Amino acid sequence: MLMVENLSTSIGGTPILEGLDLSVGAGEVHAIMGPNGSGKSTFAHALAGRDGYEIGGTATLDGVDLLAMDPEARAAAGLFIGFQYPVEIPGVNNMYFLRTALNSVRRARGEEEIGARDFLAVAREAMELVEMKKDFLNRSVNAGFSGGEKKRNEILQMAIMRPRLALLDETDSGLDIDALQIIAAGVNSLRSPERSVVIITHYQRLLDYIKPDVVHVLVGGRIVDSGDHTLAHYLEDHGYANFVNHDPDSAPGRPLTGTAS
Amino acid sequence: MTAQVATSAHSNPLDLHGADRLDDVSRPTKHDDAWRYAPHDLLARLLFGSTTATAQQAPAVAVNRIPQLDGPRIVIVNGVIDVDQSQIAALPDGLRISTFAGSATEPTDPADDVDSGFAADAFLIAIERFGSGGVAIEVTDGHHLDVPIHLVDLVAPNQTRNTPSRSAVVRLGEKSSATIVETRIGTGPVFGGLNTRTSITLESNAALEHILLQNLPETQIHLGRVEVSQHAGSTLRAHSFNLGASYGRVAYEVHLLGAGGQADLSGLYFGTGAQTLDQQITVVHSARDCTSRQSYRGVLDDESTGVFNGGIDVRPGADGTDAQQSNDNLLLSDRAEANTQPRLEILADDVACKHGATVGQLDDSALYYLRTRGITANDARRLLIDAFASQAVDNIESDAVRAWIRARIGASHA
Ligand SMILES: Nc1ncnc2c1ncn2[C@@H]1O[C@H](COP(=O)(O)OP(=O)(O)O)[C@@H](O)[C@H]1O
Ligand SMILES: [Mg+2]
């Protein structure tokens, strides 16, 4: 479904990602873990189409070249990014925003738009999923939301957009355990054979609730190791020290526990 | 400078070049703060004089009615009341509308109680000398009009008389309330303008919502002044939408004369092309415990210029004044320009006074966020511009007027 090969990204000549490879099959859940500053968010934004990167390599979703498209076209192609730092947009009503977003991708796909009334039903269902109160819809997008509310709003958007591939960037950071469980339950209920999920995190905590098929370690702009969910526990116990300054083309930076994908 | 003109206005008529043009001495110059951004070359080409154009000569234009509200309507074509298009028969209880010829400030006209302490300028004098007349609107004590009164000016200039000058005199009696919408539209490729004066008196505890929508074509110039005298406990909510004309000037001068008055002024200006949209706002606190707000927002694209010149004048004795002013501008192009000039003069005690101004651009991270949700770059821009502008529209009381203004703003900047 998602195929990333030799992806490199630099900003103003400074390399951030340096030859990242990742392949995510339909229905799979992958986790990407890595220390602060290793390039996890840069990866998410390079896929989403943020301006200001010099980009090399390829990234395709269902065989479609993502890197050639505008951000909105990538969304229409089925990509969804859950932002680490969701943007506050004062004055733009959340409900209106959500409906505009859904109808924009529907229009781009040649599908019929959804009227206000039908959309309300869609939104209600999605809100139950993330246990969001009704008044959320009438507020401005993320404006004045608490950290946890912003993250829930991201999952709400995912539930409404129903993407082919969702890439959730540190959706768990800053959440208490109740909020974490709500988010995890939301993501789990959206798991399906047609939908893949990539979870970026630097704690294994979330992975106790959303069990990944594959865990990748991102250090220094590359995937330096991949394994099953036990790799997350290894990282929790040992940190990333063994991977830093390690040449990924030689031996693995840890005892072999999982299967490389 | 302008004050000198004021003192001489009645006793010493202007020396005019020809019959109807303001001469170089009378016209304001770039050195007058209030006229710094005006197109002085174009102002020199305005031809006043009692217009000979009549309603019949004007092209038939479908006047913009407020949907769902078919209330009292006064249509003024080239400064002359167009009876056919107006709707001033069978007025609701408590509303009187009459028309008058000539100046509104002569002793015989219906507005002899108009406060004369307002700053004058050459264009006000043009109204007084050459004005075609106007309309007087009176709401009697204790009456609440729930249907807005719509005043529509239509400008269709010709080569010899290109700038109608007209007055409107509004008086709200004690404890009465009303909504007045003034719309200025125009037609035709000929250069010209509109010169208006609206004089409003709010008696004690009266409440007025005043909405001004300026949408002249870009061949024209708009000089609009609104003078308000507020007595004790009265409330003004003014919303201006300064959208059209090559030079669109909207000037409010509000005098808070009685204790406990409230003046809440807000406005939106939306410039494209080479437009200059000029808001000249002054609130004078002359009585205790009055509250005033000035909240103006500009969206400026292309090479347009926005001007906000906002004065808060707290006179001796106006203790307990609470006055605020804000001006926020959104620049959509790097050739657009916003100019803010606050003027604060505080001569009383126990005064709370705040003012602030911002100039910004569309938030790139918000645009990006919206686009990652599938919203096109164009739609995302519109969404953010609307969000910025909507504050000015949101606080209009009347649902119908709000929806109509929203549609008009959308239509003129699609
Ligand atoms: N706009 C930017 N300009 C310059 N450097 C940046 C920019 N954004 C991120 N970086 C740098 O790129 C590296 C990776 O950042 P990021 O992708 O946010 O890491 P992570 O999400 O893994 O913590 C960091 O060293 C960061 O400082
Ligand atoms: Mg990050």
Side-chain angles (χ1 to χ4, degrees):
Chain A
M1 174 174 282
L2 177 69
M3 183 72 83
V4 178
E5 283 175 303
N6 198 26
L7 183 71
S8 67
T9 304
S10 52
I11 302 175
T14 306
I16 314 280
L17 300 179
E18 301 185 76
L20 188 148
D21 296 309
L22 180 69
S23 159
V24 181
E28 291 178 0
V29 174
H30 289 219
I32 297 177
M33 303 183 72
N36 271 331
S38 58
K40 303 185 296 297
S41 293
T42 302
F43 174 57
H45 290 302
L47 285 190
R50 181 148 83 186
D51 270 351
Y53 298 136
E54 302 97 53
I55 289 192
T58 60
T60 59
L61 181 60
D62 294 326
V64 180
D65 179 10
L66 286 176
L67 301 180
M69 294 192 272
D70 284 334
E72 54 268 38
R74 300 183 197 201
L79 178 71
F80 178 86
I81 306 293
F83 279 48
Q84 180 176 6
Y85 303 110
V87 180
E88 299 197 10
I89 314 183
V92 175
N93 173 272
N94 208 17
M95 169 88 108
Y96 184 75
F97 156 66
L98 293 167
R99 186 155 71 88
T100 304
L102 181 60
N103 279 334
S104 295
V105 300
R106 291 180 73 96
R107 213 179 306 134
R109 292 172 187 155
E111 296 166 11
E112 211 170 304
E113 295 184 31
I114 291 189
R117 187 173 305 215
D118 291 339
F119 179 76
L120 197 60
V122 173
R124 285 235 170 88
E125 196 186 326
M127 282 170 63
E128 271 170 37
L129 200 66
V130 288
E131 298 184 22
M132 207 177 239
K133 282 197 243 82
K134 261 219 301 266
D135 70 318
F136 256 71
L137 290 181
N138 299 322
R139 289 164 63 181
S140 289
V141 179
N142 295 325
F145 283 25
S146 72
E149 287 170 340
K150 283 179 183 165
K151 297 302 173 73
R152 271 195 266 175
N153 205 25
E154 294 295 288
I155 302 301
L156 176 73
Q157 290 169 45
M158 171 184 167
I160 286 170
M161 306 294 288
R162 309 206 145 252
R164 288 280 286 157
L165 180 103
L167 198 160
L168 306 176
D169 188 3
E170 302 218 19
T171 302
D172 55 333
S173 61
L175 296 187
D176 62 29
I177 198 74
D178 291 343
L180 191 75
Q181 285 176 348
I182 291 168
I183 297 267
V187 173
N188 282 330
S189 77
L190 292 167
R191 284 179 84 155
S192 92
E194 287 84 44
R195 179 172 300 120
S196 310
V197 181
V198 177
I199 293 170
I200 291 176
T201 181
H202 59 221
Y203 307 107
Q204 59 81 36
R205 205 170 62 142
L206 181 65
L207 306 180
D208 290 342
Y209 299 98
I210 308 172
K211 199 150 174 243
D213 300 305
V214 186
V215 175
H216 307 275
V217 184
L218 176 59
V219 174
R222 306 170 82 166
I223 303 280
V224 294
D225 200 1
S226 301
D228 66 14
H229 69 274
T230 59
L231 178 52
H233 290 280
Y234 173 84
L235 293 169
E236 185 83 350
D237 295 339
H238 297 91
Y240 299 100
N242 291 340
F243 297 98
V244 179
N245 302 324
H246 178 80
D247 177 1
D249 291 332
S250 63
R254 59 169 171 106
L256 277 168
T257 53
T259 49
S261 64
Chain B
M1 179 94 201
T2 48
Q4 283 163 6
V5 178
T7 53
S8 62
H10 300 283
S11 55
N12 185 16
L14 288 169
D15 184 21
L16 293 163
H17 171 78
D20 53 8
R21 196 193 294 257
L22 293 177
D23 67 12
D24 292 344
V25 178
S26 309
R27 267 186 291 109
T29 72
K30 277 196 183 336
H31 305 294
D32 294 313
D33 251 5
W35 293 91
R36 207 164 130 198
Y37 298 96
H40 295 273
D41 52 333
L42 293 180
L43 295 182
R45 290 174 50 206
L46 296 177
L47 305 171
F48 301 99
S50 35
T51 174
T52 53
T54 64
Q56 283 70 23
Q57 289 173 301
V61 170
V63 168
N64 298 267
R65 298 179 187 191
I66 306 177
Q68 292 113 36
L69 287 180
D70 221 10
R73 185 173 59 249
I74 303 130
V75 178
I76 305 173
V77 180
N78 287 339
V80 177
I81 311 270
D82 179 343
V83 178
D84 293 342
Q85 294 203 72
S86 297
Q87 156 52 46
I88 45 179
L91 296 177
D93 256 12
L95 174 64
R96 276 205 296 263
I97 295 178
S98 56
T99 61
F100 57 85
S103 160
T105 51
E106 275 157 26
T108 49
D109 67 47
D112 32 7
D113 64 340
V114 167
D115 179 346
S116 57
F118 293 95
D121 57 49
F123 300 100
L124 175 63
I125 293 160
I127 293 175
E128 291 177 344
R129 291 271 296 148
F130 307 113
S132 54
V135 58
I137 299 170
E138 179 158 10
V139 182
T140 46
D141 293 358
H143 275 88
H144 301 283
L145 302 182
D146 42 15
V147 185
I149 302 159
H150 197 184
L151 211 69
V152 182
D153 277 282
L154 171 68
V155 187
N158 62 37
Q159 307 290 351
T160 51
R161 294 281 184 271
N162 64 24
T163 309
S165 295
R166 66 86 174 151
S167 308
V169 178
V170 176
R171 184 182 166 277
L172 264 63
E174 287 183 19
K175 293 186 183 144
S176 69
S177 66
T179 297
I180 294 178
V181 181
E182 295 196 63
T183 304
R184 282 89 193 257
I185 52 177
T187 169
V190 178
F191 170 77
L194 175 66
N195 188 20
T196 67
R197 174 195 206 180
T198 304
S199 307
I200 299 172
T201 303
L202 305 182
E203 302 295 354
S204 328
N205 300 308
L208 174 69
E209 179 163 46
H210 181 253
I211 293 156
L212 198 165
L213 175 68
Q214 187 280 108
N215 206 7
L216 294 181
E218 283 198 34
T219 42
Q220 301 182 10
I221 280 178
H222 179 263
L223 304 170
R225 59 186 288 146
V226 181
E227 300 163 356
V228 189
S229 301
Q230 287 192 240
H231 296 284
S234 63
T235 304
L236 168 72
R237 284 189 314 278
H239 315 273
S240 63
F241 300 91
N242 197 3
L243 308 178
S246 62
Y247 175 65
R249 180 184 181 88
V250 171
Y252 275 82
E253 184 170 334
V254 177
H255 290 187
L256 290 158
L257 304 168
Q262 289 185 37
D264 193 341
L265 297 112
S266 69
L268 175 69
Y269 43 102
F270 202 137
T272 58
Q275 282 184 295
T276 295
L277 299 174
D278 193 343
Q279 350 299 305
Q280 298 282 330
I281 314 296
T282 300
V283 177
V284 180
H285 284 256
S286 299
R288 306 181 54 95
D289 301 321
C290 293
T291 304
S292 71
R293 298 285 180 267
Q294 301 175 30
S295 171
Y296 286 78
R297 290 199 154 189
V299 181
L300 300 164
D301 203 351
D302 305 326
E303 297 146 334
S304 63
T305 300
V307 180
F308 174 76
N309 185 335
I312 300 173
D313 192 350
V314 184
R315 298 277 162 86
D319 301 346
T321 288
D322 172 2
Q324 290 181 18
Q325 177 189 96
S326 66
N327 177 224
D328 300 295
N329 291 284
L330 180 60
L331 301 187
L332 299 180
S333 137
D334 51 15
R335 290 163 297 146
E337 184 182 313
N339 300 282
T340 304
Q341 188 185 359
R343 289 173 287 115
L344 308 180
E345 187 174 52
I346 297 165
L347 301 172
D349 298 323
D350 186 23
V351 171
C353 188
K354 269 206 300 215
H355 72 102
T358 63
V359 179
Q361 279 135 28
L362 284 179
D363 179 353
D364 279 339
S365 61
L367 278 174
Y368 167 61
Y369 186 73
L370 293 170
R371 295 180 72 189
T372 65
R373 273 43 178 159
I375 299 171
T376 62
N378 237 342
D379 288 352
R381 275 168 65 86
R382 282 206 61 142
L383 212 56
L384 295 181
I385 294 167
D386 284 352
F388 178 83
S390 68
Q391 184 201 279
V393 186
D394 283 347
N395 52 14
I396 294 177
E397 291 262 296
S398 158
D399 291 342
V401 175
R402 190 180 336 106
W404 176 71
I405 293 277
R406 222 183 256 295
R408 287 302 300 268
I409 291 173
S412 55
H413 294 278

